[in-house]
Amino acid sequence: MSNQGTTDHGAAGPWDDRDGRDTAGRLLRAATGSGAGLIAEAASLVQGWAVLTDPIAGAVYSSPAAAAADGVHAASAPQEHPYSVQLPAAGAVLVLTPAPATPAEHTGRVAATTAALLEVRGQRAAELRGEQMRLHTTLLRLLLAGHAGAVVDALGGSAYSHVTVYRLTGDDAPAAHLVLWRAVRPTLAPHADACTLLGRLDGELVVAEVHRGADDGRILRLVSRVCERHGMLAGMAGPLPLAEMSTAYGDAAAARHSATSAHRIVPADAIGAPRLAPLLPVAPYARWAASVLRPLDPAQQHLLLVWLRTGSKPRAAAALGLSAGTVRARIRQLARLLGADLGDATVRAHLLLALRAPAPAGVGEGKGEGGAEGEGGQRSGVAPGASTTGTASAAPASLGTLASGSGGAPVPGSPDRLDALPGGLLDTGAVRAWAGGLVDGLEPHLRIALTCWLRHHARTAPAAAELHVHRTTLTTWIGRCADHLAQNLADATVRAELHLALRITRSGPDDPAALPRRGGRTYRRL
């Protein structure tokens, strides 16, 4: 919000010029300078206050600054401000409140002239908007290509060091782009504390706030309002160093896949419930993660993390800006490097846990896990879950029999694997209490159905076929599970956590053969 002080023009008042030429001339001269100057001059002419308010951004200009809140309220509830004049102006609302002695005719003339000049300024800005938008899009692509230094030089701010990224999708993306552009009023002026870049890349609306490491939350508030108004879904990542723009870009897309109509903007560090990881002993947890991830470099770890967060290869491809075929090929290659079956639900959940582990203290060779810590330990919150078991198809006898060793250390000569966790990680009372609190109370048939559905990676058709129930029946049961657990089952990381919690708390067979029935496909409650 910009503001300037009013000017004292004497007690006689500016309305002595009956023809209004002096009034119009003063407003015109102010309009050639800035929008803030025009609003300040209008307030001076009516010897009161003036505010230009936007439905998304709030007070754009206010004179004096203390009148901003009153102007926003007057625009939203004009019946409560009968002495104010409200006029639409350049997609916003101009609010003028004159002094009691100011004639109504003069106030109307000032308001009409000011609104017309704001429209002229808006039209001029619209003529330049296309070129400015193309420039912003080009700068965004340069950031994604790794040319952070060139972008900082173009912005004229050598102190810029961090970026916060938002990725928005929705049917109303073009309108949301224009509204957000007007609300943010992006500028490439040098030496500013922050610079906001807005552009549409591959049908998405991308917002990148480049700053010096301190995000004041203004852009977040504006993006949130735009999402509510236009029905958009958004993911947010950062602040991260400028050099990690591509990482933030992928993380924001992964977070967006967890957004719903109830929570339209999701930060990347909010994906997955932060419940299990704090319960795990840090040293053995970090050593196991470093061991299993040793064959991977940070870029490969990030690809796996985005894939596991989004829950599908096509979504991961869209988040990373790659083709779906490329992502599939790379995941096959990474599966061979890890020596693991990445089609197994338990292996995937263990891998997500490893990718989000903290770096082991005092370990120098952990080059791979350093990337994992950057991806999850510091930016993506905590692991969505861990397991006590082997693969999903194996029926574990107990937590102890699945351990590679005891006390968190693997048995000498036995390499750490993704299909089994070391002993001492999950066979604790705290972990069992966490898992029980998460999934206890499910009816037996719902527990069996949910376990099968999660094992099939949330695909209803194959799970229903294995359970020998109709797909509609299974969909109804899964909905009841979501209501009972109060969890968003559309979130891939939440599903991974639930899968592991179900295995930790299993006391009997959760396989489809144990589903109670009464002939054919007819289901019978216990």
Side-chain angles (χ1 to χ4, degrees):
M1 181 187 71
S2 301
N3 67 85
Q4 294 185 5
T6 58
T7 305
D8 185 5
H9 289 274
W15 49 85
D16 289 342
D17 298 311
R18 297 182 182 276
D19 58 2
R21 284 180 295 180
D22 183 59
T23 296
R26 287 169 55 184
L27 289 172
L28 182 59
R29 287 191 294 272
T32 59
S34 66
L38 176 58
I39 295 300
E41 190 64 39
S44 173
L45 286 169
V46 299
Q47 295 189 348
W49 54 264
V51 177
L52 181 67
T53 176
D54 182 89
I56 298 295
V60 179
Y61 305 120
S62 176
S63 181
D70 290 335
V72 172
H73 187 264
S76 60
Q79 68 278 3
E80 299 182 16
H81 297 264
Y83 301 106
S84 297
V85 177
Q86 295 95 21
L87 289 177
V93 178
L94 172 66
V95 181
L96 278 179
T97 299
T102 305
E105 180 182 357
H106 175 77
T107 300
R109 183 186 306 120
V110 172
T113 304
T114 303
L117 290 172
L118 287 170
E119 290 286 354
V120 171
R121 288 181 57 86
Q123 291 174 5
R124 176 56 179 163
E127 293 173 359
L128 301 175
R129 186 181 302 144
E131 181 179 348
Q132 291 173 341
M133 285 182 172
R134 287 190 293 272
L135 175 59
H136 278 234
T137 300
T138 300
L139 292 175
L140 284 172
R141 294 189 184 280
L142 286 172
L143 275 179
L144 288 172
H147 302 294
V151 173
V152 169
D153 290 342
L155 298 178
S158 58
Y160 291 147
S161 59
H162 288 71
V163 63
T164 304
V165 179
Y166 306 83
R167 291 179 69 173
L168 295 78
T169 58
D171 295 335
D172 208 14
H177 188 189
L178 292 176
V179 169
L180 193 58
W181 182 278
R182 186 175 63 242
V184 173
R185 304 190 313 281
T187 175
L188 302 183
H191 311 300
D193 291 335
C195 178
T196 303
L197 302 176
L198 294 90
R200 293 182 63 198
L201 303 178
D202 302 322
E204 293 183 355
L205 177 55
V206 179
V207 182
E209 185 182 14
V210 182
H211 49 79
R212 301 175 183 178
D215 187 344
D216 61 6
R218 172 176 173 266
I219 300 302
L220 173 60
R221 292 190 293 270
L222 294 178
V223 170
S224 179
R225 294 172 190 168
V226 167
C227 288
E228 291 294 335
R229 181 176 179 180
H230 294 274
M232 307 287 286
L233 299 179
M236 166 191 172
L240 296 180
L242 270 173
E244 299 182 36
M245 171 67 180
S246 59
T247 297
Y249 187 73
D251 287 351
R256 187 193 63 234
H257 288 295
S258 298
T260 65
S261 57
H263 300 88
R264 292 193 174 275
I265 179 166
V266 176
D269 58 7
I271 300 178
R275 298 169 182 168
L276 179 58
L279 304 178
L280 303 181
V282 176
Y285 173 30
R287 284 198 300 268
W288 167 78
S291 176
V292 298
L293 295 177
R294 187 170 290 112
L296 308 182
D297 61 33
Q300 293 170 328
Q301 293 181 36
H302 182 248
L303 184 147
L304 288 174
L305 185 63
V306 171
W307 168 53
L308 294 173
R309 280 176 171 178
T310 56
S312 75
K313 296 180 181 69
R315 287 179 176 179
L320 295 167
L322 303 172
S323 69
T326 298
V327 170
R328 292 189 184 96
R330 291 183 182 179
I331 290 176
R332 287 195 298 268
Q333 177 189 9
L334 297 179
R336 289 192 295 269
L337 289 175
L338 293 169
D341 177 14
L342 297 185
D344 182 88
T346 303
V347 170
R348 289 190 188 184
H350 287 177
L351 177 58
L352 186 56
L353 187 64
L355 289 167
R356 289 179 161 183
V363 176
E365 72 273 13
K367 182 177 180 180
E369 72 272 15
E373 178 195 12
E375 301 297 329
Q378 295 178 356
R379 294 197 300 268
S380 303
V382 299
S387 176
T388 63
T389 65
T391 62
S393 59
S398 68
L399 294 175
T401 59
L402 291 166
S404 303
S406 60
V411 174
S414 299
D416 289 313
R417 309 193 316 269
L418 280 170
D419 59 354
L421 297 181
L425 282 185
L426 301 175
D427 46 351
T428 65
V431 171
R432 289 184 180 277
W434 162 82
L438 185 60
V439 299
D440 277 356
L442 279 175
E443 297 182 52
H445 72 286
L446 294 181
R447 181 185 176 98
I448 293 172
L450 180 60
T451 300
C452 182
W453 183 72
L454 293 173
R455 190 168 61 250
H456 285 280
H457 309 298
R459 292 178 296 174
T460 301
E466 184 176 356
L467 291 166
H468 297 287
V469 298
H470 196 276
R471 285 174 293 177
T472 302
T473 300
L474 180 56
T475 300
T476 302
W477 289 355
I478 297 302
R480 291 174 58 187
C481 290
D483 293 339
H484 175 83
L485 300 171
Q487 297 287 333
N488 176 21
L489 298 186
D491 189 329
T493 56
V494 170
R495 295 197 301 269
E497 186 175 64
L498 286 172
H499 172 78
L500 296 171
L502 286 167
R503 296 182 68 84
I504 291 172
T505 59
R506 184 165 67 177
S507 58
D510 280 341
D511 58 275
L515 187 69
R517 0 185 133 261
R518 186 174 54 206
R521 296 190 175 190
T522 306
Y523 159 73
R524 176 178 61 82
R525 286 196 181 192
L526 291 178

